Structures are given as structure tokens and as C-alpha cells.
Amino acid sequence: QVQLVESGGGLVQPGGSLRLSCAVSGTVFSIVTMGWFRQAPGKERELVGTITPSGSTNYADSVKGRCTISRDNAKYTVYLQMNNLKPEDTAVYYCNVGPRAVWTWGQGTQVTVSS
């Protein structure tokens, strides 16, 4: 059974940065396109971006230029570096297969952008 463990969230001021991590177990991680998703209060979960097994990335327009997804296949981990954070980035962040999640969701990691 695939397990997803997200970490790295927190409270940050507008303009700040965070690096989120997602540790994956129970699957052959290196052949899977991974995605980062987020869900803000009262809104549906949305795709933030994806990274292919070879490292090619795509991003939602709302985060393009501010976020970078990377992965370490040896560590079964995918990362989301977020810079110049805005209050509208406040959400719970999750990883899963991208762009369409097929695994059971992890607990997510809360990102709050506020002064």
C-alpha cells in the first residue's frame, strides 16, 4: 500500500519561502509522475504542478515562476520549493500521482501565509 507523508509546512510572512517534502513508500517511485496539490479552506483541491520521472515539470499559472518541483528518486521523495509566498497560497498541500491523483491521500502539510 502506498503511503505519502508530507512535511515542511508552517506559518510564513508574505514574500517568504518554504520547502515542502513528500516521502513516498510502497511503490516504484522512480517511474511515476508526481504532483503537488493544495486545498484552501472552502475550495476544491487543485493541482499545483507535476514532475515526470526524468524531471520535466509543469506548473499551474497561479504559481508559475514562484514554485519549483524537484525529486530525489533515490530517496523516494518529491519537493516543492515555494518562493514569494502570497496569502492566497494558504492551503493544505499534498502530493500524489500527477496530474490525476490515484493513491490514498496523505495527511498533507499546512501552509499559512500571513503577516
Side-chain angles (χ1 to χ4, degrees):
Q1 183 175 354
V2 177
Q3 288 190 320
L4 306 169
V5 180
E6 299 91 350
S7 61
L11 173 63
V12 63
Q13 292 186 342
S17 298
L18 281 175
R19 188 193 194 207
L20 309 184
S21 300
C22 173
V24 182
S25 61
T27 188
V28 184
F29 174 78
S30 62
I31 63 172
V32 177
T33 292
M34 292 296 299
W36 278 98
F37 302 77
R38 68 185 181 184
Q39 187 167 21
K43 295 186 177 181
E44 292 189 355
R45 196 163 350 210
E46 64 176 357
L47 179 67
V48 174
T50 59
I51 184 167
T52 67
S54 63
S56 296
T57 53
N58 277 292
Y59 301 96
D61 287 343
S62 58
V63 303
K64 199 170 293 183
R66 301 188 296 116
C67 290
T68 302
I69 298 174
S70 59
R71 65 191 296 161
D72 186 333
N73 288 337
K75 295 182 178 180
Y76 279 50
T77 301
V78 60
Y79 305 96
L80 176 63
Q81 175 69 45
M82 301 189 295
N83 301 320
N84 190 22
L85 282 160
K86 303 176 180 181
E88 52 263 42
D89 294 317
T90 295
V92 180
Y93 285 72
Y94 305 85
C95 70
N96 210 304
V97 175
R100 293 183 179 182
V102 297
W103 296 327
T104 300
W105 295 99
Q107 84 288 349
T109 186
Q110 174 72 48
V111 172
T112 303
V113 185
S114 175
S115 55

